[in-house]
């Protein structure tokens, strides 16, 4: 948080700003203009961009819980699943339960349903977070792994809600009569949600609850001494994290438009979220964003590479495709060895370097 | 009425007595030192007061109100604050954030307000930041404000921990060996800080320390523990003369040690 040379703050509010310089604000604007223009100019990879937005929300949610609060969760994939099914249920069967004014304010059942799906997921997350009072580290990991399997079982067998093995179709979301039935439209919706969630998580991390989370991670004994109610804050971390995961799930369901429980919301998804926050940087909101983008883009790049090489050497195309998983794992491992503090840390170092360039000190 | 009343505290670990019938009182505005040979039960006593250990018998009261049934975080709200013998900072956070966490129990806004960071939450953040800056100025921590606490030198980390305890605006601060591992200059600085905390900020101090020079200089009252029970209580000069205390420290009647 060290500022540029010649940049002085005259109030705490100024110092606490998220984007402190016009330079930062300008490039952020450029980024968003680019993102908004992309689906208008190009057709390919729009679905992947939607999924990246969703992955960003889920990774940020996991980073609040695991990166900041230190409560490892191997059940985040299942929490996303809970949000997906709950969101769809509230759009279809549960819409009657929602109060009338919500439809008026939010222009239809979609937004209330996503929020209610998030709340249901938060309750589920809090329930599975209860063991965190007694269990730490690897033991908590196993407890949340149990949550993963229990929830997957429920997805498969609660057929009236989830459709069981055969899955179920999801209608396109509609807000104020505007139907989000194409991928470009879904891209704007998921982008808006991702920006909102990243903003909320950033605020959370820079104020009282976020600091309490990190204090629990760094030294839970002295956290209690400074007045942090350990159990309550751990539960809050589970609740916030699961809520965001639930929102990600609701968006996922409405982007994919078809839900099958397994392996979509399986242990593989949980692990990949964990990989995102480790690669991005534990405890940093921006890190989770970088990690989500990296993990989502890497397989696409490997595919492109395989295609490219296959163009020159057709006989190599199949073996390259076959080793894709291995290359993916290798890249992850190299990252952990050479960049253990994540992309967010590397980004800070790069910024620090250019701040002083061309001087050494 | 005393600020802190410790009456007949007995603490055992599986039959092994760490504290036996320990009683003492701290008056508002006092500096009380708890001394004794290694293993005498000084840190156990602090842990009983701060809520990490639960004594088997006896009572601990602030302003005559028993705090034994309270959890540690509730005791902080009662005006209790402490530092640890081995540095227990939040190593991944900046110095500023460490001190801001110190004010946790004073901050009154919830999760939703914090996520929106608007209105109340923002006002409170600025307000508490101002108080934290007072502590930073007082302890001379401003060069380290935005640095990660875990990477600072040992002496500075000790100071940050004192600052975190102070940020909570306690009435009673428990200091567990604040001078341990410090050189002469740092020790003198720390002694000065403790006196200032006591005199300017009006905080009552319970000090556990091995540096007898400092203890005898700054304390109003000294409690000597040995093998879990109180050996002597009184002003520093009285304790220095006490035969039992000399025997406990030196195993004989050599009077040169405590009298420096």
């Amino acid at each position: 948080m060290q500022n540029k040379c010649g940049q002085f703050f005259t109030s705490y509010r100024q110092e606490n700003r998220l984007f402190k310089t016009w330079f930062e604000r300008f490039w952020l604007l450029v980024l968003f203009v680019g993102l908004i223009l992309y689906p208008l100019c190009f057709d390919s990879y729009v679905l992947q961009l939607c999924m990246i937005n969703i992955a960003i929300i889920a990774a940020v949610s996991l980073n609040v819980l695991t990166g900041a609060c230190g409560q490892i969760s191997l059940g985040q994939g299942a929490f996303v699943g809970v949000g997906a099914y709950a969101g769809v249920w509230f759009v279809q069967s549960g819409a009657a339960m929602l109060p009338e004014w919500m439809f008026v304010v939010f222009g239809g059942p979609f937004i209330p349903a996503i929020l209610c799906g998030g709340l249901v997921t938060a309750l589920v997350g809090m329930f599975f977070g209860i063991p965190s009072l007694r269990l730490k580290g690897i033991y908590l990991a196993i407890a949340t792994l149990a949550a993963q399997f229990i929830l997957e079982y429920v997805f498969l067998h609660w057929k009236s809600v989830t459709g069981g093995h055969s899955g179920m179709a999801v209608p396109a979301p509609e807000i104020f009569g505007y139907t989000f039935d194409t991928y470009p439209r879904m891209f704007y919706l998921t982008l808006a949600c991702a920006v909102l969630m990243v903003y909320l998580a950033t605020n959370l991390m820079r104020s009282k609850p976020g600091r309490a989370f990190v204090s629990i991670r760094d030294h839970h004994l002295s956290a209690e001494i400074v007045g942090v109610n350990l159990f309550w804050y751990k539960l809050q971390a589970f609740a916030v994290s699961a809520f965001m995961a639930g929102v990600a799930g609701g968006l996922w369901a409405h982007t994919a438009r078809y839900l099958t429980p397994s392996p979509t919301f399986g242990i593989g998804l949980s692990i990949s979220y964990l990989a995102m926050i480790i690669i991005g940087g534990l405890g940093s909101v921006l890190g989770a964003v970088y990690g989500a983008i990296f993990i989502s883009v890497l397989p696409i790049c490997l595919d492109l590479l395989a295609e490219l090489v296959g163009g020159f050497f057709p006989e190599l195309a199949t073996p390259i495709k076959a080793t894709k998983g291995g290359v993916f794992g290798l890249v992850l491992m190299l990252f952990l060895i050479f960049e253990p503090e994540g992309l967010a840390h590397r980004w800070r170092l790069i910024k620090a370097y250019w701040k002083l360039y061309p001087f050494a000190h | 009425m005393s600020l802190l009343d410790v009456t007949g505290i007995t603490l055992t670990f599986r039959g092994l007595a760490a504290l036996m019938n320990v009683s003492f009182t701290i008056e508002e505005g006092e500096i009380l030192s708890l001394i004794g040979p290694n293993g005498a039960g000084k840190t156990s006593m602090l842990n009983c007061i701060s809520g990490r250990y639960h004594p088997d018998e006896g009572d601990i009261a602030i302003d005559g109100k028993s705090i034994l049934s309270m959890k540690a975080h509730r005791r902080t709200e009662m005006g209790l604050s402490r530092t640890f013998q081995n540095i227990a900072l939040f190593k991944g956070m900046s110095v500023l954030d460490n001190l801001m966490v110190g004010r946790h129990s004073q901050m009154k806004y919830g999760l939703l307000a914090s996520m929106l960071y608007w209105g109340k939450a923002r006002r409170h953040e600025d307000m508490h930041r101002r108080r934290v800056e007072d502590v930073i100025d007082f302890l001379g921590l401003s060069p380290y404000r935005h640095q990660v606490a875990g990477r600072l030198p040992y002496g500075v980390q000790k100071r940050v921990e004192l600052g975190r305890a102070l940020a909570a605006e306690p009435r009673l601060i428990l200091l567990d060996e604040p001078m341990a591992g410090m050189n002469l200059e740092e020790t003198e600085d720390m002694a000065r800080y403790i006196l200032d905390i006591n005199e300017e900020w009006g905080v009552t101090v319970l000090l556990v320390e091995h540096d007898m020079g400092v203890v005898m200089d700054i304390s109003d009252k000294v409690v000597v523990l040995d093998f879990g029970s109180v050996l002597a209580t009184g002003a520093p000069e009285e304790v220095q003369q006490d035969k039992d205390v000399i025997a406990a420290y030196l195993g004989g009647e050599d009077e040169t040690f405590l009298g420096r």
Side-chain angles (χ1 to χ4, degrees), chain B residues 72-219:
Chain B
H73 62 89
R74 285 277 298 118
R75 297 183 195 199
T76 310
E77 289 164 24
M78 295 280 293
L80 205 62
S81 184
R82 76 170 284 186
T83 65
F84 290 84
Q85 188 173 357
N86 310 311
I87 292 170
L89 283 177
F90 307 122
K91 291 192 190 324
M93 293 166 120
S94 70
V95 170
L96 180 64
D97 279 347
N98 265 284
L99 299 195
M100 289 293 274
V101 177
R103 292 195 64 81
H104 181 88
S105 51
Q106 261 90 357
M107 294 190 187
K108 307 283 181 220
Y109 65 86
L111 195 66
L112 288 178
S114 109
M115 288 173 92
L116 295 173
Y117 205 73
W118 196 257
K120 192 179 176 190
R122 167 169 272 175
R123 266 200 323 276
H124 279 230
E125 282 291 308
D126 288 356
M127 190 177 86
H128 289 289
R129 172 76 189 271
R130 208 153 284 144
R131 306 309 301 268
V132 162
E133 289 293 336
D134 290 343
V135 177
I136 288 178
D137 285 347
F138 171 63
L139 293 174
L141 289 171
S142 44
Y144 312 106
R145 196 184 277 124
H146 292 305
Q147 289 184 26
V148 176
R151 297 201 198 119
L152 293 172
Y154 178 83
V156 179
Q157 290 199 20
K158 278 273 188 194
R159 242 190 292 160
V160 174
E161 208 185 341
L162 179 64
R164 186 180 69 191
L166 208 53
E169 291 184 32
R171 294 174 59 204
L172 171 63
I173 192 166
L174 315 175
L175 304 175
D176 198 351
E177 300 199 17
M179 285 90 164
M182 289 188 153
N183 63 26
L184 191 61
E185 195 183 340
E186 288 170 326
T187 304
E188 281 172 359
D189 283 349
M190 189 57 89
R192 177 47 57 190
Y193 287 134
I194 293 172
L195 284 173
D196 283 351
I197 289 168
N198 183 245
E199 282 162 18
E200 284 177 29
W201 296 53
V203 180
T204 311
V205 178
L206 171 53
L207 175 70
V208 168
E209 184 50 56
H210 277 299
D211 189 324
M212 285 307 139
V214 173
V215 167
M216 296 305 166
D217 272 354
I218 68 174
S219 311

Side-chain angles (χ1 to χ4, degrees), chain A residues 219-230, chain B residues 71-73 76:
Chain A
H219 205 292
H220 68 279
L221 285 176
S222 42
E224 200 175 13
I225 293 297
V226 298
V228 176
N229 184 342
L230 293 185
Chain B
K71 289 206 161 240
H73 62 89
T76 310

Side-chain angles (χ1 to χ4, degrees), chain A:
Chain A
M1 227 182 90
Q2 256 159 358
N3 25 312
K4 280 193 161 54
C5 292
Q7 190 187 15
F8 302 107
F9 301 118
T10 50
S11 72
Y12 297 133
R13 173 168 296 195
Q14 243 176 9
E15 189 174 348
N16 286 336
R17 266 189 193 153
L18 291 179
F19 303 102
K20 297 184 184 70
T21 58
W22 286 107
F23 183 80
E24 281 173 291
R25 281 169 231 163
F26 171 74
W27 283 108
L28 191 78
L29 191 71
V30 169
L31 174 72
F32 277 110
V33 169
L35 280 175
I36 287 167
L37 289 180
Y38 180 86
L40 302 176
C41 309
F42 304 97
D43 290 336
S44 42
Y45 296 117
V46 179
L47 171 63
Q48 279 83 348
L49 281 175
C50 292
M51 295 316 277
I52 288 177
N53 289 336
I54 292 165
I56 284 174
I57 300 177
V60 166
S61 83
L62 184 62
N63 219 1
V64 169
L65 181 63
T66 302
C69 199
Q71 309 299 306
I72 189 163
S73 165
L74 285 175
Q76 207 70 8
F79 290 158
V80 172
V82 172
Y85 285 113
V88 173
W89 187 81
F90 273 108
V91 167
Q92 293 180 319
S93 328
M97 282 171 60
L98 301 171
E100 193 64 38
W101 60 265
M102 277 190 153
F103 289 78
V104 181
V105 174
F106 294 115
F110 177 70
I111 294 176
I114 293 286
L115 292 177
C116 290
L119 288 179
V120 168
T121 318
L123 288 179
V124 173
M126 278 167 94
F127 175 74
F128 285 109
I130 290 173
S132 69
L133 182 64
R134 295 276 172 198
L135 302 179
K136 288 186 187 72
I138 196 83
Y139 302 97
L140 183 64
I142 298 302
T144 51
L145 188 64
Q148 169 78 37
F149 288 125
I150 292 169
L151 290 172
E152 267 186 75
Y153 183 87
V154 173
F155 297 156
L156 274 178
H157 292 277
W158 196 2
K159 290 204 174 85
S160 56
V161 172
T162 67
H165 262 300
S166 45
M168 63 175 180
V170 179
E174 203 183 295
I175 303 172
F176 289 113
Y178 188 80
T179 317
F180 292 85
D181 51 357
T182 61
Y183 289 143
R185 288 176 178 184
M186 266 326 273
F187 169 73
Y188 294 125
L189 185 62
T190 51
L191 181 68
C193 289
V195 169
L196 181 68
M197 287 296 158
V198 169
Y199 178 69
L200 293 181
T202 310
N203 282 342
L204 181 74
M205 292 311 298
R206 64 182 171 146
S207 53
K208 176 187 164 191
R211 283 192 299 261
F213 292 162
V214 179
S215 75
I216 291 173
R217 175 195 75 188
D218 279 0
H219 205 292
H220 68 279
L221 285 176
S222 42
E224 200 175 13
I225 293 297
V226 298
V228 176
N229 184 342
L230 293 185
F231 187 47
W232 176 230
Y233 273 89
K234 282 179 186 174
L235 273 193
Q236 282 191 346
F238 268 96
V240 172
S241 169
F243 176 83
M244 289 185 175
V247 170
L251 291 171
W252 183 315
H254 288 91
T255 307
R257 305 279 299 282
Y258 199 87
L259 276 184
T260 46
S262 210
T264 320
F265 302 119
I267 178 78
L269 188 65
S270 297
I271 302 277
S272 76
Y273 289 144
L274 221 47
M276 286 174 195
I277 64 169
I278 291 170
I279 287 203
L282 285 171
S284 135
V285 175
L286 221 48
V289 176
Y290 299 147
I293 295 172
F294 184 85
I295 296 276
S296 313
V297 168
L298 185 60
I300 301 174
C301 289
L302 289 176
D303 271 340
L304 285 177
L305 189 72
E307 229 169 79
L308 194 73
V309 176
F312 295 111
F313 310 101
E315 65 277 15
L316 277 180
T318 326
I320 284 182
K321 277 225 167 72
T323 53
K324 210 181 80 182
V327 173
F328 188 71
L330 184 70
V331 170
L332 292 193
M333 271 172 59
L334 291 176
F335 239 96
L336 288 184
I337 293 168
F338 294 109
E339 203 67 67
E341 293 191 62
L343 290 165
H345 181 64
R346 174 57 49 189
W347 178 237
R348 273 197 294 275
L349 293 182
I350 292 172
K351 273 205 296 198
Y353 176 81
W354 283 107
K355 199 159 74 180
L356 297 171
Y357 186 84
F359 305 108
H361 297 290

Side-chain angles (χ1 to χ4, degrees), chain B residues 36-37 224-227 231 242-252 258:
Chain B
V224 189
L225 281 182
D226 191 27
F227 291 112
L231 210 55
D242 194 291
K243 287 272 185 292
D244 289 340
V245 175
I246 296 166
Y249 264 89
L250 298 169
L258 286 166

